[in-house]
Amino acid sequence: MKPIQWSVVCVAGVLAACVMPLTGGCESSGEALGSGAAMVRNSAEAQRLTDLAMEEVDRDPAAAERLLRRAIDADAFHGPAHNNLGVLLLRGPDPRLYEAAQRFEWARKLMPGNPDPRVNLALTLERAGQSDEALACYRSALDVAPEHVPALQGLAAIQIRAGRPDAATRRALGIIAVQGTTEHWRHWARLQAAKIDG
């Protein structure tokens, strides 16, 4: 199973335009954050709660989820809390794909320069059987960070599974073979590159 990317960055900016998850991938739909009632923003408290949640993640996932939801209540624009809540929603025997995808969409909007929410959304879409949308999200992550190894791994894996490797796949395999996130990924990349070259 591919690793989900936790987010540990602090975010100050906010961007509008996101898609409804599990229906349109990484394209924008114009949905705006914070429409409706006035939003309370306590960024410091949101970061504190997000940090506490990360300490609880392995010991008590339910407590971590509660802390992340409180972080979002403290600041609905805190991207790391959305991203990390999405990761938690994917864990365990009964993943909540739709809600996780929503959280990754918010995080993607709120952290436009961070590829992790895009990769996490791609992984969620893959689990939901939406490979084309997942591929678009991996490409979107690579637009933000062209050498982001988890995005390269996801992109290459989908293209190879679909029997559609191209020049981008071969380039990705070269990077993964050296910088892959695990030895398994590095070995897999070398094997796939040899098949393509052979």
Side-chain angles (χ1 to χ4, degrees):
M1 185 171 96
K2 296 175 195 163
I4 302 293
Q5 305 299 310
W6 294 104
S7 182
V8 293
V9 293
C10 296
V11 177
V14 175
L15 229 63
C18 106
V19 69
M20 289 308 295
L22 299 180
T23 59
C26 280
E27 303 302 319
S28 64
S29 73
E31 177 181 295
L33 270 172
S35 56
M39 306 292 279
V40 174
R41 296 210 48 201
N42 186 340
S43 298
E45 178 66 0
Q47 185 63 52
R48 186 185 74 78
L49 292 166
T50 300
D51 292 343
L52 285 174
M54 294 310 297
E55 294 171 12
E56 292 292 327
V57 125
D58 292 322
R59 184 175 42 238
D60 188 350
E65 182 177 339
R66 285 190 300 273
L67 287 164
L68 289 168
R69 290 187 188 281
R70 285 178 51 205
I72 291 166
D73 287 343
D75 183 359
F77 297 93
H78 190 67
H82 285 282
N83 184 74
N84 293 353
L85 179 55
V87 172
L88 269 177
L89 294 169
L90 287 181
R91 292 175 63 159
D94 189 25
R96 293 175 270 174
L97 297 178
Y98 187 81
E99 189 180 355
Q102 287 178 318
R103 295 302 173 175
F104 296 137
E105 276 295 346
W106 287 116
R108 182 183 69 80
K109 278 198 301 190
L110 295 166
M111 302 187 297
N114 188 326
D116 292 341
R118 297 163 194 258
V119 170
N120 290 340
L121 179 58
L123 291 166
T124 306
L125 291 165
E126 275 190 84
R127 288 187 187 184
Q130 297 186 17
S131 296
D132 289 341
E133 292 83 357
L135 194 58
C137 286
Y138 286 127
R139 287 184 175 133
S140 175
L142 292 169
D143 287 343
V144 170
E147 302 282 320
H148 190 62
V149 174
L152 290 168
Q153 290 172 171
L155 177 88
I158 286 180
Q159 289 178 314
I160 287 170
R161 273 196 311 272
R164 299 182 309 202
D166 58 15
T169 313
R170 183 60 187 88
R171 178 186 167 278
L173 291 171
I175 294 170
I176 298 163
V178 176
Q179 300 175 27
T181 55
T182 64
E183 180 53 39
H184 173 78
W185 273 111
R186 292 186 290 274
H187 175 74
W188 175 85
R190 290 189 292 270
L191 180 64
Q192 297 304 320
K195 288 180 182 177
I196 291 171
D197 293 343

